Amino acid sequence: MIYKRSSALFAEAQHVIPGGVNSPVRAFKAVGGDPVFVKEAKGAYLYDEDGNRLIDYINSWGPMILGHAYQPVVDAVVEKAQKGTSFGMPTEIETKIAELAVKMVPGIDKIRFVNSGTEACMSAVRLARGFTKRDKIIKFAGCYHGHSDSFLIQAGSGAVTFGSPNSPGVTQGTAKDTLLAEYNNLEQVKEIFEANTDEIATVILEPVAGNMGCILPAEGFLEGLRELCDAHGALLIFDEVMTGFRLAPGGVQELMNVRADIVTFGKVIGGGLPVGAFAARNEIMDYLAPVGPVYQAGTLSGNPLAMAAGLAMLTTLDNDKKIFNRLSEKTEYLHKGIAEALNKHNVVHTINRLGSMISVHFAAEPVTDFASASKGANETFKKFFHGLLNEGVYIAPSAYETWFITDALSYEDLDTTIAAVAKVAPDLKEKRVL
Ligand SMILES: *Cc1c(COP(=O)(O)O)cnc(C)c1O
């Protein structure tokens, strides 16, 4: 594959945009080389600026669950755009998508729309703090909740600790209110609650993690967090920005039958336009302005184009629930094919999967939290990434990302992908010692 024009565009972009990108992971820093500039996309394929066709497993990091330029979404947006693109006044379509979301997702009465997953999580935490009149939050290492200050915190040396900021610009004052725990370590969460009696406002997590690869909650983990929050008067926030409307019509709450107090959304709910949302039962949502005292606002929130895209997307998912089965089946097929190709060449690996989320880790041990995800062989991943890219298969340029399967992928596409893995596998290090 030739990437002349992409490289030239990247060079040009770097003069006027920091690092040439508007979101860091796009820059290929973890894998080396220049990023691919996309020109257009349709269905399962990206077409880049050099005319290469790539099978896409990122899908805008999740939103395009039905493939790119999905016609009902495109039509809805075009139709709306003719009638004005923003008003800063209430519109009927906001109620329509809210009604549908409330119907699809268990345990929520009301939903507020914002412009990104970051905003949704930031607002959900503010609401939880206001509602409980407490300051501290518990988050898990490796869970991503957007880039607002409270979430950019990492653990000291693996132990539970008062967080220290992992970005300059986040103050110590903010960091001290974020307490860290290891994903799937319920005992640790219990200890944190006991050490901070009546101080924890909320526990926030990705109920199926997708930002350190795909990591499933251990049996009893979500239920255990639910019980701890109830026992200590804290609210449980499920960040379903990635999993919402993806793993099931009602997200992980429905799939695993555990209820959160506040749920956040993004990605799929916007059908590829900038949308986030947070939702809860009446008692909590009515704590929000203009009814309640917790302030939250947005000039472009509930934007008509975004709402039209989201409504078209959710309507399709609500009308054809078999989509979720099809996605799972395709993902399972891919899993088997990749595992077979890697095993044939004794490449050490672990594959995690649930529904339409899958991640390939070049690690021998099970990947169950951030520490085990970090043990994956990054050099091997780089080779894997560039090898697949060369074969026309585009996966996320980081070993910590999940692949997203879309309904637009055909079995032929999956076979092409598996064949690409088979071709790359002999070059991968980290072979099993026989
Ligand atoms: C993507 C993501 C976010 C942040 O959403 P943005 O729209 O990028 O701000 C938050 N939480 C999770 C789980 C995500 O995957």
Side-chain angles (χ1 to χ4, degrees), residues 121-332:
C121 295
M122 176 188 87
S123 306
V125 164
R126 184 184 303 140
L127 181 57
R129 282 173 163 156
F131 187 81
T132 58
K133 302 183 175 59
R134 297 173 177 182
D135 290 344
K136 290 182 180 169
I137 68 171
I138 298 177
K139 86 169 276 284
F140 295 89
C143 278
Y144 182 65
H145 306 294
H147 63 93
S148 99
D149 287 2
S150 304
F151 302 127
L152 292 180
I153 314 293
Q154 68 184 2
S157 48
V160 188
T161 172
F162 286 108
S164 66
N166 66 356
S167 166
V170 177
T171 67
Q172 288 292 344
T174 297
K176 78 171 177 28
D177 288 328
T178 300
L179 310 175
L180 271 149
E182 291 159 11
Y183 200 79
N184 280 329
N185 190 340
L186 194 59
E187 196 51 39
Q188 203 180 35
V189 178
K190 193 165 169 238
E191 285 163 19
I192 300 175
F193 264 114
E194 281 161 7
N196 297 272
T197 322
D198 296 337
E199 290 187 276
I200 310 285
T202 181
V203 175
I204 182 168
L205 84 159
E206 298 177 61
V208 170
N211 285 289
M212 44 182 163
C214 173
I215 294 184
L216 274 60
E219 211 183 314
F221 182 56
L222 299 179
E223 292 83 352
L225 293 177
R226 179 69 274 172
E227 281 168 25
L228 282 172
C229 284
D230 288 342
H232 292 272
L235 299 185
L236 181 61
I237 301 177
F238 277 3
D239 176 353
E240 296 225 43
V241 169
M242 188 180 283
T243 54
F245 306 101
R246 170 171 288 283
L247 292 183
V252 177
Q253 283 199 104
E254 176 188 334
L255 190 70
M256 302 200 169
N257 201 25
V258 180
R259 298 289 175 265
D261 296 298
I262 306 178
V263 195
T264 62
F265 298 104
K267 302 191 169 118
V268 175
I269 200 173
L273 270 79
V275 179
F278 58 107
R281 58 183 184 272
N282 283 327
E283 179 197 12
I284 297 172
M285 288 312 271
D286 288 343
Y287 220 74
L288 208 57
V291 186
V294 172
Y295 194 69
Q296 187 279 324
T299 300
L300 290 170
S301 293
N303 172 268
L305 304 194
M307 296 297 97
L311 183 59
M313 177 66 94
L314 297 197
T315 301
T316 304
L317 297 176
D318 187 46
N319 287 343
D320 182 8
K321 303 241 164 52
K322 290 202 198 80
I323 288 172
F324 297 92
N325 300 336
R326 284 204 296 274
L327 286 168
S328 279
E329 285 161 15
K330 286 177 187 176
T331 313
E332 186 179 356

